[in-house]
Every structure is written in C-alpha cells, then in structure tokens.
Amino acid sequence: MAAILISRYRLMEVITRYTSADPSSLQLPGDEAYYLSTESFNTWTVCMGYGLASEYFRDYYSLMVEKLQVISSLSVSPSSPKAELCYAVSVLCLLESVVHVAATNEELTAKMTRSHGSDSPVENSDSAPVPGVNWSHVSGLIQPVEICLQKWLRELVDIYPTQKPNLCLLTSAVKFVGSYYSKIQNQPGVNVVQCLEHIEVLSKTLSESCLKSLAYQQIVRGLSIHSMVLSSNKPFTSETTPSLPSHPSTLDTREWCPILQKDSPYSFLVALYRLLYSIGKIHKGLDAKVFQLVLQNEDLITYLRKVCSSIHSQMNQNYFSRFENLLQYYLVKLAALWAGCDSQLYHQVALHLITRLQTGDEHYVHDLLSTTVFNQEFFGVEDCEIIPSQVQAMRLTEHKELTSASSNVTQRDLLPSVHGSLPSIRATYLQVFGKDIKALHRSRERCLQIPSEMDSLMSPTIDLLVPKDWVYLPLVELYQTTTKMELAGKPVNTLSSTAVSMVTNCLQWISLMENERELVMKTITMATKISRLMCVFLSGNDLFLEAPVHHCLASLFSTYCQPDRLDKINLREEIPGLTSFYDFYVSFLLQYEAVSFGDSLFGSFVLLPMQQRYDLKLRKAVWGEHAGTLRAMFIPVKELMIPIKNFLEPEETNLELLRLYLQALLSGTVTSKRCPIMYVIAVHHVNRFVYTQDGKHKKLRQMMMRQICMMRNEEIKKHLLFYKLATQEKDIGFDMYTDLPNVRQRLLEDFDIKDWIKKTRKALQT
C-alpha cells in the first residue's frame, strides 16, 4: 500500500511540500502548521519503515541538518510548546528510520552484485532495491544528535528536583543513538578504535549525567506505579470486528492504562537500556560501573521482585504491555553482559517474561531461549552451594525406594548432570519452539528493524506466544504425536533414541526448575504438572522404562509427593489441553494394564488420583471397569510415597464402591502379597463400614458380614474382622486387635461365629 501511494499518487511530493518548509511559514492558524508538518514527517517515517522514499532524504539532507540545528535549541522543560516538541520528535524519528535503511545498503548492494555476477549493481525485481541512502549519510548525524542528548540530559538533572520534564524529546534522541550503535558494527569503513573511544566517552556521559542523578532515581521509582504487570485493574473491553482490530488503551475504570499515563517512565527507560545494551555488545571492556548503576539500582530490583511475585495479571494480553516486556528484555540482556548482577533474579525475570510475550515477539522468545534461559552463568555458584543442602532431604532412599528405579537416585545426584546437559536441553526447546520459521523471520525483521525485509508494520492479533507450562511442552507434543499415530492405526511400540533424548532433556530441565526456580514453577498448577508427567507413560510402550527417563520421573514424583505440594494437587480444576481428566485417567489405566509390567513408578502415578479427596469416579474406574489394574499393583506399603492416610480418610461411604472393595477381596483379585496397598485400602474401608454404629444401611452391613463369615480364606476373614489401624511400618500395612472391643463383640453376637473368633484370638495372642 505504501509503495502504491508513493508511485501512483505521488505521496512524497505532498509530504516534502510540508516537511521542507518551516512550519511558521505555512500561514496556518495556531499550532496547526506544526501538527501538519509533524504528521507529514510521521508518514514519511512509515514509508522509510518499508525501505521506501529514502532517496528523498538524500535530496533534502542539508535541509534535515538545518532542522536538527533548530531542534537543538529546544528544551525538555515542561513549559516548552507541545506542538514544537511533537514536531522535533517526528524529525528525530525520521532520522532514526533513515539509520535502519542506510544500514541495509551494503548488504543489498552485495546481494545485487552476486545475483548478476558483476561489479556494478543492477536492479533485480526479485529482491529489494538498493536504498537511496548509505551509511555515509547518517554517520554525520550522530555528533549533532549526541550534543543534543548531552544538553537535554543536563537539563533533566537540573529541572527534575523542582518539576518533571517532558521526556519525549530526550527519548527520541536516545532512540536515535541506540539505533545508530546497534547498526554500526556491520558497516564498512568504520574506525573500530575511534568507535570504542567514542563509546567510552558516551558511557561516561550517561553514567555521570544520568545514571547517578536524582532524576534517574525518581524515573526508575515510577516503574511499579505505571506497571501493566503489577496493575490489579482490568482492560476495558469493547466489541470489535476482525477487519477492524482494536487495542484498548483504557481500563475498566475508563482511565488510561498505567503505562500510557502521564509521567510514565517506560519509553525513556526502554530507549536508555537498549542504548546501553547496544554499546555494551560492541565494547566488551566497558566500565562495569555503568552496568552496576543500572542492574543494582534498589528501586529497579524492588520492581523486578514484585514482577516475579506477580502470578496472575489481567493486563498481559493488552497490546501496550509489550513495552514493559521490552524493558525487562533489555534488562535481562544487560545482565548477561555483566557477571556482577543478581543472576538468579534476572533469570527469574527472563523465565516470567517468556510467558508474557505476545504474537509478533517470536524473535525475543527465540533469543531468550538461545542466550539466557539455559545459560549456565545464570545458575551461579550460590545456587549450586545452596541447592544440595536443600535437596539432601529429598533422597528417594530416605523417602521410599522404588524397586524398579535405581537404588540411589537422588536430586543431588541428578542436578550436576543437568547443569552439564544445558546445551543439549537448549537444543531440545529451540527445536520445539522454532517450528514456525516464517513467523520467526517476520518477527526478527520487525524487532531488528530491517526495512528491506519488512512485510507489514501493522500489529498482529494479540495473543500470548508461550503457555505458562512451557517447560512441559516437549512431553505434550510427543504425546499428541503418538496419539495421532495410534488413531491412524500405527501403534508406537518403541521410540527413537532422539525422542528418548528429548524426553530426558525435558525432564531434567523440569527437575532443575523445580529445585532452583521454584518461584517460577509456582505459576503452574500441581494438577497440570502431574498430568504432563503422565503423558510420558502414554507416549510409547516402553519409554518410561528407559533408565534416564525413569530416574527423572522418580525424582520428580518424589518432589511432588512432598506434603506442601501434594496438598495443592486439585484434579477438579481446569487443566489446559484436557477436556476431562477422567477420560485421560481411563486411558492411563488402559496403558497401565497393557504395558506396565507391574512397574512401581507407573503404579504410583495410578495411585495418586485414587486418594479419598478426589472424585469418586476415579476410584470406581480402578475398582470397577478396570479391575485388571489391581492385579498389577505390586507396590509394597513401605515404598508408598503418598501418606497411606490419604487413601483411608475420610472413610468411604459410597455403597457401590464398598461392594467393589469386598468383591475384590472375596474373589482374590486383591491379596496382601500381590497388591498390598490395594489390600489395605479395601480391608480398611470394609472394616470401618461393617462396624459402623450410625444405624444406617443395617441390612447391607449384615449381608456383608455374612459374606465375610462364609469366606474360606481364614486370613482375609481374620484381617477384615480384627483390623485396627493402618501403618506403613509393617509389611502387611496395618495392626490388628488381639481382643475385639466390647462394642464390636456385641455387634457380632448376632452371628454364629463365636468359636471362630475364640480360635482367631488365641492365634493372634501366640
């Protein structure tokens, strides 16, 4: 559209008519002339964003230099005329866009030359045309803009104690300088030594004139006040049509979004941190004090800690939240340049930031995953010293040792190997998140501002790119893939070594996150975590039997069975991607019956949803339709990681399930030797029901008691009648009475089993 407007409707002739003239000479009333010129510059800037109309800047170069001299006389004082400030900002924005266009000249010229095999570039309709400006057209602009920057920084420091200045002009200058240094490395003819010396002078200016000032402290202090992430309000929602998308800029209270309100510091700080990152990449030996003044600022650290503690925000999907995301992105990138920062805090910021990035930010997600999230330097020495002492109490051998798992698998043993596997883990997640190559390229072109490759400057539909449970995404994708193959009649019996490696890497990363970044993992519900791990057992018939996979699963299950985490598992809540946990659990039971081979770890995952506090349907599924599961449940009582009381309290009251318990005992489906835990559960609930004194269901209790008394298996009969209390200290799983309490004896007087009771009592006493 921009190209059509320029070529067919001579747009640039109209624009240059207003940009070349001085606004005061346009003979328009009031500030209208300034606003007309401002909009003309803004339109030109948009065209430059597509790499168009650059030759007009070359023609009007001397005029632009004159306008820059006029702009230098302006002040950031709040008393400065608003119309003139907006005009100056539009000019600086145009100059910044010229920097991005000029930076592509060398590369496009080289492409054109290669495509035609000659030294003279020839126009090629299949590639972007060579822009009309080159780096020499912008290299002369950096000095006057930096002079303006130094002047406005001094004004900022002088004005701020008494009044708040207008930051828009200063921000535009900082953006121009930041863009210039972000592109200078790839340009021909740049004197590297002079460039580094110039950067040292610039960094000293920023440090002395800005970062150490009271004005900067006050600006940073406004981050929490104007934060979208920390806002408790909801964005205003209105009906929109797909053809006319809208980006709500107000709250439900009809106020402006916090980040758009007056005195918001985000635009200035984003530009400043981007500039510091750009010069920090070029000058590796930059004075550490610059990074220290930024990354160790107390108000900034307070803000970042609040962000890391904010689990639920209503504003994450608002378009204007992306500017706060950008600020955090550049802070994380600055932290990667300086080893003296609080690496754990900035790593947590990066992990939270990934889940808030929106459509169009694919480049930032890829960059964070490539350079920051799996960077060993962010898992500092402090973490490595603290964690072993914290997880020493998490030994599987100190909890319950699974017979099918390695005998000495501990969190402390796993963590060092995880740290060493970070490059491989990074490759796994980059493969999962890098499948949409086209979207990644489009995002890179927008984020790095490459006009020659720009497809559209229009904002895409706003949606979050990465789910909160992204650490489990490789497991979910593998489960979906294998499920589709099975539905297509292609059962997956054995997975490739690549798939095993992918699952191992994923589980190792989850283990590391659970132990060293627990605050980040708290944003994921425990029910979601459990269901994602269950996907491993459903992805192939023998994947869970692979030693590294099994070790990691056992380690994570042990972690999730800690009391403070176990109590938070709520299987009734909504789990992303699951329409029904019951249906998912039934498929899990079918897989257990088919391929578990009595594996204790697999059985432990089957047992977890059978706790008394969960839905009755889950227990009925095991004891009823899928009773074959019971025969393979070989876990000894002493190895049970979940407290046995969770399966016994509160006492079962559902009559159908009680009948199923007794039927399983009478038929021999459940025995104390083959499936001890299920045996304890059934004996406990049947015993408590038949001895209940509430007067309800008397006929059913009498019928069940007769069935018990008519049993030929004396051992089960003895256990049912003399059961006292469950305990994990004994192999059988419970204690028994030697003498029945008087209340129970009176209850049994109606049954002709006195001789049997006396005989059993003597056997118990001996």
Side-chain angles (χ1 to χ4, degrees):
M1 178 61 73
I4 294 174
L5 290 174
I6 292 173
S7 61
R8 185 179 300 177
Y9 299 101
R10 300 180 179 179
L11 175 66
M12 288 309 301
E13 292 183 11
V14 179
I15 289 177
T16 53
R17 186 181 307 166
Y18 297 106
T19 56
S20 59
D22 187 270
S24 59
S25 65
L26 292 179
Q27 298 180 352
L28 292 173
D31 296 329
E32 188 174 337
Y34 277 100
Y35 289 132
L36 181 59
S37 296
T38 297
E39 291 305 320
S40 298
F41 273 112
N42 289 340
T43 306
W44 192 355
T45 301
V46 172
C47 294
M48 293 288 284
Y50 292 105
L52 305 173
S54 59
E55 63 276 8
Y56 288 91
F57 178 83
R58 182 185 58 201
D59 297 338
Y60 288 91
Y61 180 81
S62 59
L63 186 63
M64 293 300 163
V65 174
E66 292 178 8
K67 289 185 179 295
L68 194 55
Q69 292 174 348
V70 174
I71 290 173
S72 64
S73 64
L74 295 176
S75 170
V76 297
S77 169
S79 60
S80 297
K82 182 180 178 182
E84 293 185 23
L85 287 177
C86 292
Y87 175 77
V89 168
S90 66
V91 173
L92 288 171
C93 288
L94 174 64
L95 297 181
E96 183 189 0
S97 67
V98 173
V99 170
H100 296 301
V101 174
T104 64
N105 184 287
E106 183 72 15
E107 181 182 357
L108 291 176
T109 301
K111 283 184 179 179
M112 198 76 68
T113 302
R114 287 195 301 269
S115 64
H116 291 277
S118 65
D119 294 333
S120 59
V122 182
E123 293 296 327
N124 187 340
S125 59
D126 295 333
S127 61
V130 177
V133 292
N134 55 43
W135 194 250
S136 64
H137 292 103
V138 298
S139 58
L141 298 175
I142 186 64
Q143 186 176 1
V145 174
E146 285 187 347
I147 292 173
C148 293
L149 176 61
Q150 292 173 7
K151 174 194 172 185
W152 293 331
L153 283 174
R154 287 194 298 270
E155 290 181 359
L156 173 70
V157 175
D158 295 337
I159 293 174
Y160 217 101
T162 56
Q163 51 187 331
K164 293 184 178 180
N166 194 321
L167 293 174
C168 63
L169 193 59
L170 178 59
T171 300
S172 299
V174 175
K175 285 178 61 183
F176 175 89
V177 178
S179 295
Y180 180 85
Y181 284 107
S182 69
K183 303 292 185 179
I184 195 173
Q185 278 185 296
N186 299 323
Q187 303 311 315
V190 175
N191 189 314
V192 178
V193 176
Q194 289 183 357
C195 180
L196 294 178
E197 292 175 350
H198 197 76
I199 287 175
E200 289 180 358
V201 174
L202 176 61
S203 65
K204 185 176 181 180
T205 300
L206 292 173
S207 175
E208 299 295 335
S209 301
C210 179
L211 300 179
K212 291 183 179 180
S213 68
L214 176 63
Y216 175 73
Q217 302 296 330
Q218 293 294 331
I219 292 172
V220 173
R221 206 162 289 166
L223 286 174
S224 298
I225 299 172
H226 296 277
S227 170
M228 299 284 278
V229 177
L230 302 180
S231 175
S232 58
N233 295 309
K234 296 180 180 179
F236 174 73
T237 55
S238 58
E239 293 186 5
T240 59
T241 60
S243 59
L244 294 173
S246 173
H247 299 312
S249 59
T250 57
L251 304 172
D252 54 356
T253 58
R254 298 305 176 93
E255 297 177 343
W256 290 105
C257 290
I259 202 169
L260 299 178
Q261 292 175 5
K262 186 179 179 181
D263 301 325
S264 172
Y266 281 91
S267 58
F268 170 69
L269 291 179
V270 168
L272 178 62
Y273 297 153
R274 174 172 172 259
L275 169 58
L276 292 173
Y277 174 62
S278 297
I279 63 177
K281 282 201 307 180
I282 299 172
H283 196 316
K284 305 300 182 182
L286 201 63
D287 190 355
K289 290 183 180 179
V290 177
F291 299 108
Q292 183 178 357
L293 289 170
V294 172
L295 300 176
Q296 290 188 345
N297 182 282
E298 292 183 3
D299 294 308
L300 179 66
I301 289 176
T302 299
Y303 158 73
L304 293 177
R305 284 176 177 163
K306 289 180 181 178
V307 168
C308 291
S309 301
S310 177
I311 298 177
H312 303 290
S313 175
Q314 303 285 345
M315 308 292 287
N316 284 346
Q317 288 187 269
N318 185 279
Y319 171 80
F320 299 100
S321 295
R322 68 171 60 242
F323 301 105
E324 185 170 2
N325 294 341
L326 270 179
L327 177 130
Q328 294 173 19
Y329 169 79
Y330 284 115
L331 283 172
V332 169
K333 298 298 287 183
L334 282 172
L337 295 178
W338 183 53
C341 66
D342 184 348
S343 58
Q344 182 173 353
L345 173 63
Y346 285 97
H347 192 245
Q348 288 180 352
V349 172
L351 292 170
H352 283 285
L353 175 59
I354 279 183
T355 61
R356 293 198 307 272
L357 291 173
Q358 303 170 355
T359 308
D361 295 335
E362 289 85 357
H363 168 72
Y364 295 126
V365 173
H366 187 271
D367 184 62
L368 288 172
L369 291 174
S370 301
T371 63
T372 305
V373 172
F374 304 102
N375 190 338
Q376 177 67 56
E377 294 179 2
F378 281 94
F379 295 93
V381 177
E382 293 180 0
D383 292 340
C384 296
E385 289 177 350
I386 293 173
I387 293 304
S389 61
Q390 290 177 338
V391 303
Q392 193 169 11
M394 297 182 189
R395 287 175 175 265
L396 290 180
T397 51
E398 291 179 4
H399 278 274
K400 309 296 174 188
E401 184 179 318
L402 297 178
T403 55
S404 59
S406 178
S407 58
N408 292 311
V409 179
T410 68
Q411 291 284 6
R412 186 167 65 174
D413 294 335
L414 288 175
L415 288 177
S417 63
V418 175
H419 283 284
S421 301
L422 284 175
S424 176
I425 294 172
R426 177 180 59 188
T428 293
Y429 282 92
L430 284 176
Q431 182 181 359
V432 171
F433 285 101
K435 293 182 178 180
D436 194 346
I437 303 298
K438 290 184 179 180
L440 182 59
H441 284 316
R442 286 195 300 268
S443 175
R444 180 178 177 274
E445 293 155 7
R446 287 171 60 95
C447 295
L448 299 183
Q449 295 176 291
I450 306 175
S452 59
E453 304 294 336
M454 193 68 67
D455 180 44
S456 173
L457 291 172
M458 296 291 290
S459 300
T461 304
I462 301 303
D463 197 8
L464 297 181
L465 283 174
V466 180
K468 286 186 177 181
D469 61 337
W470 65 272
V471 296
Y472 298 89
L473 199 56
L475 305 182
V476 176
E477 287 204 353
L478 180 62
Y479 164 68
Q480 292 175 341
T481 301
T482 55
T483 301
K484 288 179 181 178
M485 292 178 66
E486 289 176 356
L487 291 175
K490 301 177 182 178
V492 181
N493 296 320
T494 303
L495 292 173
S496 65
S497 59
T498 303
V500 174
S501 177
M502 182 190 72
V503 173
T504 303
N505 288 335
C506 179
L507 294 174
Q508 286 181 331
W509 176 245
I510 296 169
S511 181
L512 183 64
M513 291 282 287
E514 287 288 1
N515 287 281
E516 298 192 13
R517 297 294 181 262
E518 185 178 353
L519 186 62
V520 176
M521 295 298 286
K522 282 185 177 180
T523 60
I524 310 172
T525 65
M526 286 300 302
T528 300
K529 294 178 181 180
I530 292 296
S531 63
R532 299 306 188 237
L533 292 186
M534 292 169 71
C535 290
V536 177
F537 296 94
L538 295 170
S539 303
N541 294 340
D542 57 359
L543 175 62
F544 68 95
L545 293 175
E546 295 286 344
V549 174
H550 204 289
H551 293 170
C552 291
L553 283 172
S555 172
L556 286 168
F557 190 77
S558 174
T559 300
Y560 294 158
C561 284
Q562 295 171 25
D564 60 327
R565 304 193 190 203
L566 192 62
D567 294 341
K568 294 178 182 178
I569 301 177
N570 180 11
L571 300 179
R572 292 184 175 87
E573 66 188 4
E574 182 179 351
I575 299 175
L578 284 184
T579 55
S580 168
F581 182 81
Y582 174 79
D583 294 338
F584 179 72
Y585 185 61
V586 168
S587 65
F588 194 74
L589 294 177
L590 291 171
Q591 184 79 344
Y592 180 78
E593 290 182 65
V595 303
S596 71
F597 305 107
D599 182 76
S600 297
L601 180 60
F602 203 156
S604 296
F605 277 90
V606 171
L607 278 173
L608 192 143
M610 294 178 63
Q611 297 174 75
Q612 285 296 104
R613 61 194 181 97
Y614 296 135
D615 196 333
L616 175 67
K617 292 193 302 181
L618 300 174
R619 299 193 294 280
K620 282 186 176 181
V622 176
W623 291 92
E625 298 176 7
H626 302 279
T629 304
L630 303 172
R631 297 182 180 275
M633 196 67 66
F634 301 143
I635 307 174
V637 177
K638 290 184 177 181
E639 290 186 15
L640 183 63
M641 295 188 189
I642 307 168
I644 189 68
K645 68 176 183 178
N646 290 14
F647 301 95
L648 310 179
E649 300 174 1
E651 294 170 6
E652 189 59 65
T653 57
N654 183 267
L655 302 182
E656 181 183 353
L657 187 54
L658 287 166
R659 289 191 183 98
L660 291 174
Y661 286 152
L662 184 57
Q663 180 181 345
L665 292 170
L666 294 174
S667 63
T669 303
V670 172
T671 66
S672 60
K673 293 182 179 180
R674 184 171 59 241
C675 32
I677 292 176
M678 312 307 287
Y679 184 79
V680 172
I681 293 172
V683 168
H684 170 86
H685 289 296
V686 172
N687 175 274
R688 290 294 187 260
F689 178 73
V690 296
Y691 283 124
T692 301
Q693 302 293 316
D694 59 4
K696 297 179 181 179
H697 312 297
K698 187 174 181 179
K699 290 184 178 180
L700 177 61
R701 292 203 308 274
Q702 288 177 345
M703 182 190 71
M704 293 178 71
M705 185 61 78
R706 291 193 188 97
Q707 288 180 308
I708 293 171
C709 295
M710 294 172 61
M711 290 180 65
R712 295 183 178 181
N713 191 318
E714 297 294 327
E715 182 183 34
I716 297 179
K717 187 189 301 185
K718 175 180 65 178
H719 291 165
L720 283 170
L721 295 177
F722 284 84
Y723 171 86
K724 181 180 181 181
L725 187 67
T727 174
Q728 290 182 254
E729 301 301 322
K730 294 189 175 182
D731 292 335
I732 196 173
F734 52 83
D735 291 324
M736 292 191 297
Y737 289 106
T738 53
D739 288 314
L740 284 177
N742 294 332
V743 175
R744 294 192 174 189
Q745 288 187 12
R746 286 196 297 270
L747 190 64
L748 295 175
E749 287 179 356
D750 295 336
F751 301 94
D752 189 18
I753 56 172
K754 295 180 181 179
D755 294 338
W756 183 88
I757 292 176
K758 290 179 181 179
K759 179 181 178 181
T760 303
R761 186 186 302 124
K762 290 180 180 179
L764 289 171
Q765 289 174 345
T766 56

